[in-house]
Amino acid sequence: VAFYEGTEREGGLIREVYGKLVGHSRVLMGKQWRFLMVQDFLLKYLGATVAVALIIGPFFGGHLRPEATVMGRAQMLSNMRYHTSVIISLFGALGTLGSAGRKVLKLGAYSDRIQETLEVMKSIVEQRSEGGRFEESGDSIQFIDATVVTPGDATLVRDLSLNVPAGVNLLVTGPNGAGKSSLFRVLGGLWPLTSGTIKKPGGGGGETGLSHDIFYVPQKPYVAVGTLQEQLLYPLSPKDAGLIPQDALRVLLASVDLEYLLERDADNGTGTLEAGKCTSDHEVRNWGEILSLGEQQRLGMARLFYHKPRFAILDECTSGVTVEMEERFCNAVKDMGCTCITISHRPALMAFHDIVLNLDGEGGWSLHQGHRDTNRDVMKLVGSNDVPALSPTGSSSSGNNAKMRRSDVDEVLRGMTQSTASLQPGALNRGSSIELTDGNEGYHEFIVAKSPEKDDSPVVWRTIDSPAMTLTSKWMGVLKVILGDPRDSGIKVGTVTAVIVLRTLLQDRIAKLNGRSVDLVLRQDLRGFVMLIGQSVLQSAASAILAPSLRHVADTLALTWRSRLTNAILDRYLKGHAPYTVSQLQNFKQIDQSVTRDVDRLSNDLAALVPTLVKPVTDIAWFSLQLWRLTGPRGALILYSYAIIGYGCLRMVTPDFASLLNDQYELEGAFRGSHTRLRTHAESIAFFDGGLREGREVNKHYERLVAHMQKLIQLKWSYGAADDFFAKQLPHSVTWVLTLLYALDQRRDFGDSKFQGYLVLQIRYLASVVTQCFSAFGELLALPKRFAEISGSINRVSDSLRAVELANQLEVSIMMEASRSVSSDRIEFSNVDIVSPHCDVMARKLSFSLVEGKSMLITGPNGSGKTSIFRTLAGLWPSSGGTMSCPSSGVFYVTQRNYTTVGTLRDQVVYPLTVDAALKKFGCALDGLDAKLDDLMSVVRLRYLIEREGGWDTEKSWGEVLSLGEQQRMGMARMFFHRPIFAVLDDCTNAMSVDVEESLYRHATGTLGINIVTMANRTALVKYHDYELKLGEKGDRGEWTLRQIERNG
């Protein structure tokens, strides 16, 4: 996305999805508000009125009617208190059952999703039990009338009959999307076998997966999070297989030129190296982020050498390594006695294979003789006495698309079977020039520049200094973003305050009514009691409006604050190269969780904090005034003394909830990240049968989370017990003391029935006042815990805001470098040090000038810095000295794995433009744009995709639908569509057949006149370039030579 300058486009998609979420949330909140008003009125407040009638009513007649004596009335009060407890408990239970309905519905949604998952798992098991059969074969892999059908019901291979005995190497080829990898997904048990039989080692007993005798090496080998030892042992673990001895480990890595990994020590984010320690012994790393694709492929080779299987499935696993390394690998596999089944478009690999299986992607297939051993008739060994023609059966295409598809098949087959190119790059020195081979005969090159001598000058990776922030400054920073427009926030907070004040006055009124009801019983005023019930109904309606309204305003406030925080982060994050800088250079890996889950949690907690702050303060102010009126300063002193002592005691036992919750969020992120990683690499893990190993890794994260949660639950329990004692239970004793003192202060005749009614009314009102005060104090006492919990979210959100701010500052710093300038017709470097984030010098004092009309090939070993040059040129990395210039908007980058955006098939080609922007740019209607795109798809030989996928308006997960070769050709179509001045191609054709690759280069350089800069490990494309920049010569990082390429004669 950073190379494509597609951040704005991706930001539009993110904002569109977020806008839909906010709109849906507002609709949901409105419905909840209306529903809760009805629910609260019926189940809560009207229920309270009915409860009052049930509690007080029996005392107007029957055996509960009080006697006209002091003792009789005292007995009535005692009975009434018990009766009140019984009725309240009953109504509380009924209310809980009533509100449980919503919870059951919510749980039902979760249950449906879990049930859906279980049904998918069940269907997978059922699919495996249907269709074809798997049988044991100890020394061969056999396909007998096997048919391969995709999940989309497209038949790729029909009635394949093939025997691959041990010692016979098979090369599988065909156009992109022909079913090469799909065939082995079936062999590995990832896809069901539709019909036929497959015999293989470990296939007995209905086992569908690969056994330890068959090893899979994909184009991008899966590297687990762990030590270097664990990468070679995978899918085994040190617990299963034991550690590899250091000498053997060194030999394995040296065989693939990765011995230096043993000396690459822990970085710890400082860029300093600690010499002498072996990373594999102690350092757990995410190797997928540390190693380049070529290094990962070589690590996959070393893994194969360690396991020494009888059969190896090699799926384009040498596309990112040099020709010399590829030849060494093939010879090593041969010496190991391993039988290879290779998926590739490389004609040079014919020399290492006995049989070629060519697929057409429409169900047809054919077998051909390889070039490894032409003295023996291997066709008989594989069960074929002749070379059949491609079968046309199963073809679903028609017309021009079918003809183009057939042409692709024929050209791939012709290129594979007729080529005899050697893997040797074989350069011959002739004076000052070098004659080229390996398909580049007739060309020579000579050195025009090279790197200067190495010096000892220090190299520093430039960053933006960020002083440590205190928790207070983090709070202030987040609140500044959240509050935004003071007028808008003031209105919402004022609304919350007004609702709370009204609710407090209503509670005061209800408290007086409770005392009034007892007074009416003592006076046996039934008519007054009926009127009191009527007033209570009206108050219930008012309460039913106020309580949900308070919740609704708080929810609205939370959504507003969430939108402000989200937009504040996205405004900084979705700008320029910030996504790349944050995740890759600042190593802030959980920005996605922060901008979604953490922001949502923080907004809800802060919105809930507003009424939590306002309500107790309002309640304490009002009810303290009433307490002073009833008991004078003595009662207020007792109440406040207890509150201070209780707060002090509770504060002493309050744990550090802020750090505990921050740790919880980090552990949750790691657990979720392990699942995301499992989903991303699901196919490689399945081929390796690494589910058990990955399951242990996921469980490890889960067990850490559970252990932390158990600790947190224990601390919450102990804190909750203390909080309940000081804030809820002990205050009852204080209430009794205050009511007793109030009664003892009265000097009137206690035998007077009217005074008794007045006294009961006042005592009950005083009890309600004291209860409300203690409830408010309890909420205040709980505030430190609430603040501590919210501080955990504040930390994470503040760190996210700071990370994106630093990313923006770093990008501005990079783009404002004095060494960086704009040129209209060239890419130029002058004495520029290319430095990695780990302070490794990838190219020392690099100098070259590539003018319009010239193209350049950049070669070198894996990890030598080929991509690093253009990360620096594109502004993703800062430069270290020297000067550079390039067109401001005329460089287009095509990466090895083409990025597929969310949207239609049309969106994939016009990216990073939107369709509307593309129409505006070319000044045409949609039909005209589609006609242009049709022509481009013909150029890259993907015209069949339009019909196969249902047209330009089809929306799919294109990264999963398209094969790697199809994705790469889509990337070239994207480049042709934009037709830039310069195009940087980062090994973006290694999954294509040679004929397609050369056709696309001819179209780019000849027809369109695009100036190509290619990064590759192979030299077959030399003839399309004017210069070759070789990096890492003599095995020394930082060394480079620039060579000019000329045609002989």
Side-chain angles (χ1 to χ4, degrees):
V1 174
F3 269 132
Y4 279 124
E5 299 288 348
T7 305
E8 183 178 350
R9 167 69 186 278
E10 298 302 315
L13 295 173
I14 291 173
R15 292 181 190 279
E16 180 182 353
V17 174
Y18 181 68
K20 292 179 181 178
L21 172 63
V22 171
H24 177 75
S25 298
R26 294 191 188 281
V27 172
L28 180 62
M29 286 192 303
K31 291 184 177 181
Q32 285 180 331
W33 181 32
R34 293 187 291 273
F35 172 76
L36 288 175
M37 283 193 290
V38 176
Q39 177 183 265
D40 283 4
F41 177 72
L42 294 176
L43 298 182
K44 196 171 183 180
Y45 299 108
L46 185 60
T49 301
V50 174
V52 170
L54 291 175
I55 293 170
I56 304 298
F59 290 93
F60 283 97
H63 68 283
L64 292 178
R65 182 173 181 173
E67 298 177 4
T69 62
V70 173
M71 290 303 296
R73 292 176 181 134
Q75 183 64 39
M76 181 210 75
L77 292 176
S78 176
N79 292 337
M80 185 178 292
R81 190 172 187 84
Y82 174 72
H83 201 220
T84 300
S85 299
V86 171
I87 297 297
I88 287 178
S89 297
L90 180 60
F91 269 82
L94 292 174
T96 301
L97 287 175
S99 62
R102 278 200 315 147
K103 296 179 181 178
V104 170
L105 291 175
K106 195 172 183 180
L107 289 173
Y110 295 138
S111 175
D112 288 343
R113 298 194 66 176
I114 294 173
Q115 182 63 31
E116 182 182 349
T117 303
L118 294 174
E119 288 176 356
V120 169
M121 293 178 174
K122 182 179 178 181
S123 68
I124 292 173
V125 174
E126 291 174 350
Q127 285 178 359
R128 288 179 174 174
S129 63
E130 299 173 355
R133 295 181 300 136
F134 286 86
E135 297 179 0
E136 173 68 34
S137 176
D139 59 353
S140 67
I141 295 176
Q142 298 180 48
F143 297 88
I144 304 173
D145 296 327
T147 297
V148 176
V149 179
T150 69
D153 206 29
T155 301
L156 298 179
V157 181
R158 174 170 289 137
D159 299 331
L160 174 64
S161 293
L162 172 65
N163 178 31
V164 185
V168 174
N169 289 346
L170 173 68
L171 179 63
V172 184
T173 189
N176 299 126
K180 301 182 293 295
S181 297
S182 302
L183 180 63
F184 296 100
R185 291 188 182 110
V186 173
L187 178 67
L190 278 67
W191 287 5
L193 176 61
T194 304
S195 64
T197 302
I198 292 179
K199 296 182 178 182
K200 61 177 182 177
E207 292 294 328
T208 59
L210 300 180
S211 70
H212 67 278
D213 287 325
I214 306 176
F215 204 78
Y216 173 69
V217 186
Q219 184 176 44
K220 187 171 183 179
Y222 174 62
V223 284
V225 175
T227 66
L228 189 55
Q229 285 259 1
E230 290 173 315
Q231 309 314 308
L232 299 179
L233 292 171
Y234 193 88
L236 302 177
S237 67
K239 183 178 179 181
D240 300 324
L243 290 175
I244 305 173
Q246 282 297 310
D247 291 342
L249 178 65
R250 189 172 293 275
V251 170
L252 275 174
L253 294 174
S255 67
V256 293
D257 295 343
L258 287 179
E259 190 176 4
Y260 60 85
L261 291 182
L262 290 173
E263 313 302 331
R264 185 184 289 180
D265 297 318
D267 179 358
N268 297 326
T270 63
T272 59
L273 299 182
E274 191 178 347
K277 289 187 178 179
C278 178
T279 303
S280 60
D281 286 340
H282 71 286
E283 186 67 17
V284 174
R285 289 184 169 191
N286 188 346
W287 295 92
E289 297 178 355
I290 295 173
L291 304 179
S292 68
L293 175 62
E295 289 173 317
Q296 291 180 45
Q297 287 188 346
R298 285 187 279 156
L299 198 61
M301 296 175 187
R303 182 183 290 164
L304 176 68
F305 296 157
Y306 169 78
H307 286 276
K308 296 180 180 178
R310 297 170 62 190
F311 292 87
I313 299 173
L314 311 178
D315 190 354
E316 294 276 14
C317 67
T318 59
S319 60
V321 302
T322 62
V323 176
E324 184 268 339
M325 174 56 67
E326 185 177 52
E327 181 182 15
R328 283 168 51 190
F329 171 65
C330 291
N331 287 326
V333 172
K334 176 183 176 182
D335 295 340
M336 194 170 61
C338 178
T339 300
C340 294
I341 301 177
T342 305
I343 301 171
S344 180
H345 297 100
R346 294 265 297 145
L349 292 177
M350 288 283 290
F352 293 90
H353 293 81
D354 304 286
I355 296 295
V356 178
L357 172 63
N358 193 44
L359 306 177
D360 70 352
E362 305 292 343
W365 53 274
S366 62
L367 292 175
H368 304 269
Q369 182 91 32
H371 295 164
R372 186 170 76 141
D373 188 356
T374 57
N375 293 324
R376 61 173 179 164
D377 189 358
V378 292
M379 301 304 293
K380 292 183 178 180
L381 293 175
V382 299
S384 178
N385 294 320
D386 55 356
V387 180
L390 284 168
S391 168
T393 58
S395 177
S396 60
S397 299
S398 61
N400 291 332
N401 285 346
K403 292 179 181 179
M404 293 176 64
R405 192 68 167 157
R406 174 66 55 194
S407 175
D408 284 352
V409 176
D410 293 341
E411 288 193 34
V412 171
L413 178 60
R414 186 162 48 250
M416 293 297 294
T417 56
Q418 292 181 357
S419 175
T420 58
S422 169
L423 278 171
Q424 289 284 359
L428 300 174
N429 288 319
R430 294 185 180 175
S432 60
S433 67
I434 303 172
E435 291 293 329
L436 301 179
T437 60
D438 192 25
N440 296 301
E441 289 78 3
Y443 290 84
H444 67 276
E445 60 183 17
F446 54 90
I447 297 175
V448 295
K450 62 180 181 179
S451 56
E453 294 295 325
K454 188 175 183 180
D455 57 34
D456 297 326
S457 57
V459 177
V460 179
W461 174 263
R462 180 151 47 87
T463 58
I464 301 295
D465 293 331
S466 174
M469 297 178 66
T470 64
L471 182 60
T472 302
S473 61
K474 290 181 178 181
W475 267 90
M476 295 301 294
V478 172
L479 290 178
K480 183 179 179 182
V481 173
I482 280 180
L483 296 178
D485 182 7
R487 183 180 303 175
D488 182 58
S489 296
I491 291 174
K492 286 186 170 62
V493 174
T495 302
V496 172
T497 304
V499 173
I500 289 174
V501 170
L502 289 174
R503 194 178 179 189
T504 299
L505 294 176
L506 190 60
Q507 287 174 334
D508 181 67
R509 177 69 179 169
I510 292 172
K512 290 178 179 178
L513 286 180
N514 289 337
R516 177 66 178 163
S517 63
V518 179
D519 179 37
L520 292 172
V521 172
L522 291 174
R523 291 191 289 154
Q524 290 294 294
D525 186 355
L526 183 59
R527 183 172 178 274
F529 180 71
V530 172
M531 294 180 62
L532 185 70
I533 293 297
Q535 295 178 26
S536 180
V537 171
L538 294 176
Q539 289 181 350
S540 297
S543 297
I545 294 173
L546 287 177
S549 296
L550 178 60
R551 191 179 311 174
H552 179 69
V553 174
D555 289 342
T556 304
L557 194 61
L559 186 60
T560 301
W561 287 351
R562 180 185 181 184
S563 295
R564 286 179 183 167
L565 268 177
T566 300
N567 290 329
I569 296 177
L570 293 183
D571 287 344
R572 298 170 174 86
Y573 183 59
L574 301 177
K575 180 192 296 184
H577 304 145
Y580 175 85
T581 305
V582 168
S583 63
Q584 301 298 321
L585 302 187
Q586 294 181 310
N587 203 32
F588 195 93
K589 299 300 183 185
Q590 296 181 5
I591 184 70
D592 55 338
Q593 178 183 339
S594 182
V595 79
T596 54
R597 188 179 182 86
D598 292 341
V599 166
D600 180 42
R601 182 189 286 123
L602 175 62
S603 302
N604 287 325
D605 288 346
L606 284 176
L609 186 64
V610 173
T612 303
L613 279 171
V614 175
K615 183 179 180 300
V617 171
T618 304
D619 286 354
I620 287 174
W622 175 259
F623 289 111
S624 293
L625 179 63
Q626 303 306 314
L627 179 66
W628 186 285
R629 183 177 63 81
L630 291 171
T631 64
R634 182 179 58 180
L637 179 63
I638 293 173
L639 181 68
Y640 280 89
S641 298
Y642 175 80
I644 294 172
I645 295 172
Y647 172 78
C649 295
L650 196 59
R651 186 72 182 86
M652 292 173 59
V653 297
T654 302
D656 184 5
F657 284 110
S659 60
L660 287 169
L661 288 173
N662 190 54
D663 291 344
Q664 176 188 335
Y665 300 153
E666 289 185 359
L667 290 170
E668 286 177 349
F671 178 54
R672 212 165 18 251
S674 66
H675 278 283
T676 301
R677 180 180 175 82
L678 186 61
R679 181 183 63 195
T680 302
H681 301 282
E683 182 167 294
S684 292
I685 293 169
F687 268 124
F688 280 121
D689 198 18
L692 183 62
R693 164 71 186 278
E694 295 302 320
R696 286 200 294 263
E697 188 68 26
V698 172
N699 285 337
K700 186 192 302 180
H701 288 289
Y702 181 66
E703 287 168 1
R704 290 173 181 167
L705 175 61
V706 168
H708 180 79
M709 292 298 295
Q710 288 175 336
K711 175 183 176 182
L712 187 59
I713 290 171
Q714 183 68 27
L715 290 173
K716 283 185 175 181
W717 174 81
S718 58
Y719 173 82
D723 177 59
D724 190 78
F725 176 74
F726 287 112
K728 295 177 182 178
Q729 304 304 324
L730 198 56
H732 288 309
S733 301
V734 179
T735 302
W736 295 336
V737 169
L738 289 174
T739 54
L740 176 62
L741 292 176
Y742 173 77
L744 293 177
D745 286 341
Q746 304 304 311
R747 295 291 179 264
R748 297 174 61 180
D749 182 11
F750 283 91
D752 184 1
S753 61
K754 291 185 178 181
F755 177 69
Q756 290 176 1
Y758 170 79
L759 182 61
V760 169
L761 186 153
Q762 293 297 95
I763 287 177
R764 285 182 70 92
Y765 177 65
L766 175 62
S768 297
V769 166
V770 175
T771 300
Q772 292 290 345
C773 284
F774 273 117
S775 177
F777 276 121
E779 292 177 4
L780 285 180
L781 292 178
L783 281 179
K785 174 177 176 288
R786 294 292 302 276
F787 273 103
E789 291 174 345
I790 295 174
S791 294
S793 297
I794 287 283
N795 266 322
R796 293 178 62 80
V797 174
S798 176
D799 290 346
S800 301
L801 284 166
R802 188 60 180 156
V804 294
E805 285 176 359
L806 292 176
N808 294 155
Q809 293 175 22
L810 180 59
E811 184 176 352
V812 170
S813 171
I814 291 173
M815 302 314 293
M816 295 296 291
E817 289 171 339
S819 61
R820 192 178 296 272
S821 61
V822 176
S823 173
S824 60
D825 64 347
R826 68 186 60 214
I827 294 175
E828 187 169 22
F829 284 74
S830 178
N831 295 319
V832 177
D833 284 327
I834 306 299
V835 181
S836 76
H838 299 287
C839 295
D840 295 326
V841 179
M842 313 306 290
R844 185 170 53 254
K845 306 299 181 186
L846 179 63
S847 298
F848 69 82
S849 179
L850 188 66
V851 299
E852 193 171 343
K854 299 294 182 180
S855 295
M856 176 183 286
L857 176 67
I858 302 179
T859 60
N862 305 126
S864 59
K866 299 186 291 295
T867 305
S868 303
I869 292 175
F870 292 96
R871 289 190 182 122
T872 305
L873 179 67
L876 274 64
W877 287 7
S879 64
S880 296
T883 60
M884 73 181 79
S885 62
C886 69
S888 60
S889 59
V891 181
F892 198 83
Y893 297 87
V894 186
T895 55
Q896 185 178 58
R897 193 171 188 93
N898 180 54
Y899 174 68
T900 54
T901 186
V902 176
T904 64
L905 184 60
R906 186 185 296 110
D907 289 322
Q908 308 313 308
V909 183
V910 303
Y911 186 85
L913 297 178
T914 62
V915 174
D916 290 340
L919 293 173
K920 184 177 180 180
K921 177 179 179 181
F922 291 98
C924 61
L926 186 61
D927 291 342
L929 178 64
D930 287 350
K932 180 181 179 67
L933 298 183
D934 288 342
D935 294 338
L936 286 178
M937 296 295 270
S938 297
V939 170
V940 298
R941 305 186 188 183
L942 287 178
R943 187 69 176 264
Y944 64 90
L945 278 183
I946 305 172
E947 179 181 337
R948 188 186 82 182
E949 302 301 338
W952 285 112
D953 293 313
T954 303
E955 292 192 25
K956 291 186 177 181
S957 298
W958 297 106
E960 300 174 4
V961 171
L962 304 179
S963 68
L964 178 58
E966 288 172 329
Q967 291 182 49
Q968 288 188 347
R969 284 190 277 169
M970 188 70 77
M972 295 296 282
R974 185 180 292 170
M975 187 257 287
F976 295 157
F977 174 79
H978 289 279
R979 199 170 181 175
I981 301 172
F982 290 92
V984 178
L985 310 183
D986 189 356
D987 218 356
C988 65
T989 59
N990 57 21
M992 302 180 196
S993 59
V994 175
D995 62 294
V996 173
E997 183 180 51
E998 293 188 347
S999 171
L1000 297 182
Y1001 266 85
R1002 284 194 299 269
H1003 185 75
T1005 58
T1007 306
L1008 300 181
I1010 299 173
N1011 307 290
I1012 298 294
V1013 180
T1014 302
M1015 289 171 274
N1017 292 295
R1018 309 188 187 284
T1019 57
L1021 297 171
V1022 164
K1023 55 190 173 185
Y1024 298 103
H1025 300 84
D1026 301 289
Y1027 295 96
E1028 181 183 5
L1029 177 64
K1030 297 180 73 72
L1031 301 177
E1033 285 201 300
K1034 305 174 186 176
D1036 187 5
R1037 277 188 177 178
E1039 297 286 340
W1040 58 269
T1041 58
L1042 181 62
R1043 306 181 183 195
Q1044 186 170 340
I1045 302 168
E1046 292 183 350
R1047 182 186 292 272
N1048 293 344

